[in-house]
């Protein structure tokens, strides 16, 4: 029997975001968006998983899953409820959260911006406004000073590309703008500046704590790899998906300064050119593949393709998110098994992957889709807040405990 081991010290964790799990988050743009009817299902992010109060019990469950790391976000609107005023009680709360993770043997990866912004910040134009990076930097400095000693990894910004697109082009995130291409470009430029400045500040304030960001990699593949125009269309689509403006030029996000690459990967599309008036490229699902409840094609092996492409970046890689929306946990079990095999093969090929954070631990508030999309390894009964580990959670626990995939017959 051959045991397929992961490197010693490999990090096994889950990822969450404050607004999706905490509950009672009433001072951020997503709450206002919810009041304006922005949540397609009509669900409310309050109380979500009530994790703000139940974090100790939740971390105990993650220990049962043998996690040795955890990625979560601190909520800017709690810590800085008004511009320049920091809330000592909220900072103390996050110190408790970090201390509890440490006490339970999990290395904390702290995301500083995961889709939510304080209302005061959103009201003066949010990430599209001049001065946004400076405002974020003041928050980053305070968090580093107050919490930095307990943090194992910083993740500055979650998915700049998805955030900017959904807020300014697709309208699914606040501020709910549609077709505002200029706004999206401004947001991306500000996010890229904010990230660069945050990296420098975090290095200065918390030397030795690795800093990165979580990049969403949606794979763009040629509809027919033998056709040159399909290959070209895929390259262009991928370039637009993966880039942000740096001093006026489109640069790949993964080339931004960072100590590690954070990869969020879920799915991909086939791409072929089309008429300019229909957007130049057409994306569609590969025929024959199963899809998640979001309609995203499920092919866990694509994780290996993404990881392989990142090899050139020559930095440690953490899979900061990977998972599947499904009410049928058997689908998640199959996907997870495939994804973990892809992960193992990438490492065996020499790609420097150092950790994997599954999205997500608990079924939670999936942004505009409310509770309709279930990504969790742990089910949450919304009426009672009862938690139940799913079979996929038990599978993940077995792999994390042994730091190896189940043995194959030799
Ligand atoms: C990612 C987000 C995360 C969650 C998953 C499903 O784009 O970072 O918060 O919504 O998708």
């Amino acid at each position: 029997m051959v045991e397929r081991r992961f490197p010693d010290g490999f990090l096994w964790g889950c990822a969450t975001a404050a607004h999706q799990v905490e509950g009672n988050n009433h001072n951020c743009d997503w709450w206002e968006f919810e009041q304006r009817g922005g949540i397609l299902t009509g669900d409310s992010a309050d109380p979500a998983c009530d994790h703000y109060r139940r974090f100790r019990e939740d971390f105990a469950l993650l220990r049962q899953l043998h996690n040795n790391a955890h990625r979560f976000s601190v909520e800017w609107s709690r810590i800085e409820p008004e511009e320049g005023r920091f809330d000592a009680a909220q900072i103390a709360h996050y110190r408790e959260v970090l201390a509890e993770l440490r006490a339970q043997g999990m290395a904390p990866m702290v995301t500083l911006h995961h889709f939510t912004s304080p209302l005061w910040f959103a009201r003066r134009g949010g990430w599209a406004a001049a001065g946004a990076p400076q405002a974020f930097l003041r928050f980053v400095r305070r968090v580093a000073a107050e919490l930095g000693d307990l943090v194992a990894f910083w993740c500055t910004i979650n998915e700049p590309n998805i955030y900017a697109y959904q807020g300014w082009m697709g309208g699914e995130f606040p501020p709910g703008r549609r077709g505002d291409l200029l706004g999206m470009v401004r947001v991306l430029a500000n996010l890229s500046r904010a990230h660069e400045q945050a990296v420098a500040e975090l290095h200065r304030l918390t030397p030795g704590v690795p800093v990165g960001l979580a990049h969403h990699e949606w794979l763009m593949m040629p509809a027919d790899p033998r056709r040159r125009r399909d290959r070209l269309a895929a390259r262009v689509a991928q370039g637009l998906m993966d880039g942000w403006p740096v001093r006026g030029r489109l640069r790949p996000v993964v080339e931004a300064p960072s100590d590690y690459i954070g990869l969020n990967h879920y799915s991909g599309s086939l791409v072929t050119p089309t008429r300019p008036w229909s957007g130049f490229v057409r994306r569609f699902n590969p025929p024959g593949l199963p899809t998640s409840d979001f309609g995203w094609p499920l092919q866990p092996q694509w994780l290996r393709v993404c990881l392989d492409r990142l090899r050139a970046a020559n930095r440690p890689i953490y899979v900061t998110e990977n998972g599947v929306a499904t009410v049928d946990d058997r689908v998640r079990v199959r996907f997870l098994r495939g994804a973990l095999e892809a992960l193992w093969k990438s490492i065996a090929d020499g790609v420097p992957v150092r950790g994997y954070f599954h999205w997500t631990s608990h079924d939670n508030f999936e942004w505009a889709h409310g509770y309709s999309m279930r990504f969790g390894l742990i089910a949450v009964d919304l009426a009672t807040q009862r938690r139940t580990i799913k079979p996929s959670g038990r599978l993940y626990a077995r792999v994390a405990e042994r730091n190896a995939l189940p043995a194959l017959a030799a």
Side-chain angles (χ1 to χ4, degrees), residues 68-372:
N68 58 6
H70 184 59
R71 174 176 176 234
F72 73 103
S73 72
V74 289
E75 177 60 33
W76 183 4
S77 64
R78 288 185 185 274
I79 293 179
E80 191 181 357
E82 291 160 35
E83 181 163 16
R85 183 173 76 75
F86 291 89
D87 186 324
Q90 296 294 345
I91 291 170
H93 169 80
Y94 287 115
R95 276 198 77 79
E96 276 177 44
V97 167
L98 285 160
E100 184 67 19
L101 280 172
R102 293 280 188 183
Q104 296 208 34
M106 286 178 275
M109 177 182 278
V110 173
T111 308
L112 291 159
H113 191 272
H114 196 130
F115 294 170
T116 49
S117 301
L119 271 178
W120 61 261
F121 177 82
R123 283 189 180 141
R124 48 169 233 212
W127 280 102
Q134 286 77 356
F136 179 63
L137 205 62
R138 185 178 45 208
F139 161 70
V140 170
R141 279 197 198 106
R142 189 62 175 248
V143 172
E146 302 270 10
L147 307 176
D149 57 318
L150 294 171
V151 172
F153 298 89
W154 295 113
C155 176
T156 57
I157 294 163
N158 183 67
E159 301 189 343
N161 52 355
I162 300 298
Y163 176 75
Y165 179 84
Q166 292 292 20
W168 278 263
M169 289 291 286
E172 224 182 68
F173 287 11
R177 301 188 62 87
R178 286 177 199 276
D180 181 356
L181 184 63
L182 252 175
M184 180 178 81
V185 172
R186 222 176 295 130
V187 169
L188 280 168
N190 275 337
L191 290 170
S192 120
R193 204 164 317 128
H195 169 74
E196 277 196 21
Q197 294 174 350
V199 171
E201 274 303 275
L202 292 167
H203 280 162
R204 189 174 70 78
L205 293 166
T206 55
V209 180
V211 190
L213 61 77
H215 172 60
H216 183 108
E217 181 80 351
W218 185 275
L219 267 191
M220 300 292 188
M221 293 159 286
D224 179 348
R226 289 163 310 190
R227 280 218 314 249
R228 209 169 139 253
R229 54 202 206 98
D230 286 1
R231 292 200 303 271
L232 192 69
R235 256 218 311 282
V236 170
Q238 195 76 71
L240 290 174
M241 182 84 199
D242 293 349
W244 61 7
V246 177
R247 285 173 282 280
R249 282 191 53 208
L250 191 70
R251 311 277 316 159
V253 168
V254 293
E255 286 177 13
S258 69
D259 303 307
Y260 68 88
I261 305 284
L263 169 71
N264 290 5
H265 170 69
Y266 290 88
S267 187
S269 311
L270 296 183
V271 174
T272 192
T274 176
R275 313 251 180 264
W277 56 86
S278 9
F280 292 100
V281 295
R282 189 165 73 81
R283 293 198 296 127
F284 56 96
N285 287 356
L289 278 186
T291 54
S292 75
D293 290 355
F294 252 130
W296 303 347
L298 294 178
Q299 175 46 279
Q301 299 307 318
W302 288 339
L303 179 60
R304 193 171 169 201
V305 179
C306 293
L307 289 169
D308 202 54
R309 286 185 185 177
L310 290 173
R311 189 199 287 267
N314 227 353
R315 267 166 286 167
I317 302 168
Y318 293 88
V319 176
T320 35
E321 288 181 28
N322 175 246
V324 51
T326 178
V327 289
D328 180 354
D329 196 55
R330 287 169 307 181
V331 173
R332 189 178 345 273
V333 164
R334 267 199 302 280
F335 182 86
L336 183 60
R337 217 175 260 145
L340 295 179
E341 288 194 357
L343 183 70
W344 184 83
K345 283 184 189 144
S346 299
I347 297 171
D349 288 347
V351 182
V353 191
R354 306 272 195 264
Y356 173 92
F357 295 83
H358 189 75
W359 186 273
T360 179
S361 52
H362 299 60
D363 283 339
N364 63 35
F365 181 76
E366 179 50 36
W367 307 113
H369 298 269
Y371 302 102
S372 64

